[in-house]
Amino acid sequence: MASTEQLTFAIETFKRIRPVEFQRRFLSQDTRHDGRAFLQFRATHVVKGTIGTAQGSATVRIGNTTVVCGIKAEVSEPDVNTPDQGYLATNVDLSPICSANYRPGAPGDEAQVDSEHIFRLFGEVVDLKQLCIENDQAVWSLSADIVCLKSDGNVLDAAIIALMAAVEDLKLPQASLDPATGVVSADKAIETQLTLRKRLFPATFSLVDDAYLVADADDAEERLTTATLLVVLDDQGHLANVWKR
Amino acid sequence: MSSAVNDRRRINGPARSVEPIYTATVMDSVAAGRSDGRGLDHMRPIYAKAGPISDGQTTASASGSAFYEQGSIRISCAVYGPRSARKPNARRAHFVCDFQYAPFACSKRSHTQSTDEHETSLWLSNTVGPAIRLEMYPKSSIDAYVTVIESDGKMATLAATINCISLALADAGIEMYDTVAACSMGLRDSQWIVDCTHQEDAECSVLVAYMPSVDEVTGVLQTGKTTLEVHEQGVQLCTNVCVRVYAVICRALQASVE
């Protein structure tokens, strides 16, 4: 029917040329443009062990946001000050693959800030002493890289969930140091998993248009967000981290 | 082996780290047939999807995108363009490929864009570029960003990358002479084997990028030593397999439109 077709066409155009007004029409009626309630999160899917070349990996989808985390384990000498501790380096990779907002090349501001925050968060989760192979001589060095494949808002939550799942999935082969040659050999037949100190559960809330508090904002809502709050709980229900930005 | 040059923009691990020597469970020679039971001229199963991130759901989505899987090779590509170029007076579009491995994609890790990635980016631009009707888009640039999420066999991954970029370009609606289909072969025991995995990777291998509709080859990459006759045989076999890959890409494009 002519009139309904015109109406459909107008909605798409309205969304493109007046994005703020478009969102306000929904938010002022106590709902959101995808039909969710204000404090409703999108369906989250977590799959572990998706990358064969990595020792631990996970793929997480929150709505349309897709993030992959891969952990590679290598061996190195420990730091002089902490001879029985290994390393865990976490990095978030936001590239033009996921959104036109990011430039290719070195990590931009958002990626650097997210990497640093996640690094500090996971210092509480992984006990670096478990990564020791031979005191003062050889330790595991874990490099966790979180690559965003598609960005539809709330990449940080997805990154934390992905890293958490990847660390749970991590399987380290049994390693031993040959004192004569100084070479570390690893046996893939025997694998151990890490015992984690705690498990983290993140939740992001955004203040959209300076007036509406919504959970798990998607890309359209993030563009109108004036403030964001990340709350991380651990498995005992204690507050692990609160971050307002 | 990875040595983290003190990169201020990233969280760094220790300065030097190496892979441990893995013992036991070593693959034996390919003499008794391929490990996954494939025939010598069988490719790994391909799953290709056009448009996973360019469906316009987000405000900053790409013009075209593709996700491509071949066995355990996984590649994601986003194409932006045609968009305004820095050189406003060019008569043809400027096509650039930006290729990178995810840090966990290969057995060896590296963060900084190695020369390997630079070289591959340039080679991809030269291989896929000729298929595009660049003169249709003056004063503009077309950028393809490719990330290899998981790699399994160097030449096979390169071939898969070309297929992925072709799919993404077609998804973006950019005018081309034909989609480029590529496949690679490795020489083992004087026999050409299609689509080698990491374990089957041979010293001598050949990769052919081919446009079936116009019967033109856009790129040939050969590594290792071999005689001219064997090389020609390999290229011919590759071209035949490319036609099959082309059919898969076309079907994926059809599926994305339906």
Side-chain angles (χ1 to χ4, degrees):
Chain A
M1 289 192 283
S3 55
T4 11
E5 272 184 82
Q6 270 183 346
L7 195 63
T8 318
F9 176 72
I11 288 178
E12 281 304 313
T13 321
F14 189 56
K15 188 176 170 185
R16 288 296 288 265
I17 56 177
R18 301 286 300 277
V20 182
E21 267 306 310
F22 181 78
Q23 291 297 327
R24 276 187 190 141
R25 294 287 167 94
F26 292 95
L27 295 166
S28 58
Q29 304 290 327
D30 257 351
T31 184
R32 294 158 79 173
H33 75 105
D34 54 2
R36 285 188 281 158
F38 274 21
L39 296 181
Q40 187 181 348
F41 287 79
R42 287 172 287 185
T44 306
H45 303 271
V46 180
V47 182
K48 291 188 198 171
T50 46
I51 309 285
T53 47
Q55 276 75 35
S57 59
T59 304
V60 170
R61 275 196 312 122
I62 299 181
N64 285 319
T65 300
T66 310
V67 157
V68 157
C69 175
I71 302 181
K72 300 244 357 144
E74 288 186 334
V75 174
S76 82
E77 286 186 7
D79 190 47
V80 176
N81 302 317
T82 53
D84 58 347
Q85 286 184 22
Y87 302 89
L88 171 65
T90 61
N91 279 291
V92 176
D93 187 357
L94 301 169
S95 65
I97 280 282
C98 64
S99 161
N101 299 325
Y102 307 114
R103 309 271 78 198
D109 290 338
E110 193 184 332
Q112 288 180 59
V113 165
D114 285 350
S115 299
E116 182 65 36
H117 195 78
I118 292 179
F119 178 62
R120 279 202 228 113
L121 253 183
F122 276 80
E124 319 262 313
V125 171
V126 177
D127 183 4
L128 296 176
K129 295 204 167 96
Q130 289 193 2
L131 301 175
C132 182
I133 300 171
E134 192 68 44
N135 204 321
D136 207 25
Q137 301 212 40
V139 292
W140 284 110
S141 161
L142 302 177
S143 316
D145 296 286
I146 303 160
V147 176
C148 180
L149 297 178
K150 183 171 178 176
S151 166
D152 190 14
N154 207 4
V155 173
L156 187 57
D157 269 7
I160 294 172
I161 297 171
L163 182 53
M164 195 68 235
V167 167
E168 284 168 6
D169 177 59
L170 181 68
K171 294 179 184 67
L172 290 175
Q174 177 135 75
S176 53
L177 173 71
D178 183 349
T181 57
V183 166
V184 177
S185 57
D187 187 4
K188 271 196 183 152
I190 310 166
E191 287 178 330
T192 50
Q193 295 193 281
L194 297 182
T195 328
L196 303 172
R197 283 205 198 115
K198 55 170 108 170
R199 302 185 60 219
L200 299 179
F201 302 93
T204 295
F205 299 89
S206 311
L207 191 66
V208 177
D209 203 19
D210 239 350
Y212 310 99
L213 187 68
V214 302
D216 190 21
D218 61 14
D219 187 65
E221 291 163 345
E222 262 190 4
R223 283 166 185 272
L224 315 175
T225 296
T226 41
T228 316
L229 182 70
L230 170 73
V231 177
V232 183
L233 297 182
D234 69 12
D235 41 354
Q236 263 116 47
H238 298 145
L239 210 53
N241 182 244
V242 174
W243 185 29
K244 184 214 169 277
R245 59 192 195 282
Chain B
M1 185 161 85
S2 70
S3 50
V5 183
N6 196 19
D7 187 351
R8 283 187 308 118
R9 298 193 193 213
R10 293 195 164 97
I11 309 284
N12 291 306
R16 280 168 65 87
S17 58
V18 293
E19 285 232 304
I21 313 286
Y22 287 108
T23 57
T25 61
V26 179
M27 295 300 302
D28 294 304
S29 72
V30 201
R34 303 176 81 167
S35 53
D36 49 3
R38 280 187 286 152
L40 294 181
D41 61 345
H42 278 150
M43 290 201 68
R44 281 172 277 184
I46 296 174
Y47 169 74
K49 185 167 196 304
I53 50 178
S54 58
D55 37 18
Q57 275 166 351
T58 58
T59 33
S61 48
S63 313
S65 60
F67 180 74
Y68 185 92
E69 276 189 24
Q70 189 174 306
S72 50
I73 299 175
R74 287 194 189 94
I75 306 176
S76 177
C77 175
V79 167
Y80 291 93
R83 51 184 180 182
S84 57
R86 260 164 261 146
K87 282 193 216 150
N89 294 321
R91 283 216 240 118
R92 309 171 85 215
H94 183 60
F95 174 65
V96 168
C97 252
D98 190 67
F99 173 83
Q100 63 167 24
Y101 285 106
F104 42 76
C106 312
S107 49
K108 285 196 302 181
R109 244 194 103 254
S110 69
H111 253 317
T112 51
Q113 202 178 33
S114 61
T115 45
D116 183 31
E117 285 174 348
H118 275 299
E119 186 195 348
T120 309
S121 299
L122 202 60
W123 183 76
L124 285 169
S125 312
N126 289 331
T127 305
V128 184
I132 306 173
R133 299 195 64 193
L134 296 172
E135 64 277 5
M136 299 286 291
Y137 307 101
K139 306 180 192 173
S140 56
S141 79
I142 302 170
D143 301 299
Y145 298 102
V146 193
T147 301
V148 176
I149 302 161
E150 193 176 346
S151 155
D152 191 8
K154 183 134 193 285
M155 289 298 248
T157 308
L158 274 182
T161 310
I162 294 174
N163 297 331
C164 191
I165 299 174
S166 302
L167 193 55
L169 284 169
D171 182 58
I174 292 171
E175 293 220 20
M176 302 195 285
Y177 292 109
D178 195 5
T179 44
V180 185
C183 105
S184 71
M185 294 201 158
L187 189 66
R188 277 213 157 211
D189 305 324
S190 315
Q191 275 240 307
W192 284 108
I193 309 175
V194 175
D195 196 18
C196 297
T197 63
H198 182 66
Q199 272 144 356
E200 293 169 340
D201 244 347
E203 223 180 76
C204 178
S205 52
V206 73
L207 187 159
V208 173
Y210 179 63
M211 291 194 287
S213 302
V214 294
D215 192 29
E216 282 183 4
V217 169
T218 59
V220 175
L221 195 63
Q222 152 99 24
T223 60
K225 277 197 303 187
T226 182
T227 63
L228 194 57
E229 290 80 29
V230 176
H231 167 78
E232 277 179 4
Q233 184 198 31
V235 168
Q236 187 54 55
L237 287 170
C238 247
T239 312
N240 297 340
V241 182
C242 282
V243 178
R244 287 192 255 152
V245 176
Y246 177 76
V248 175
I249 298 176
C250 289
R251 212 172 305 134
L253 279 170
Q254 265 182 313
S256 73
V257 173
E258 280 153 15

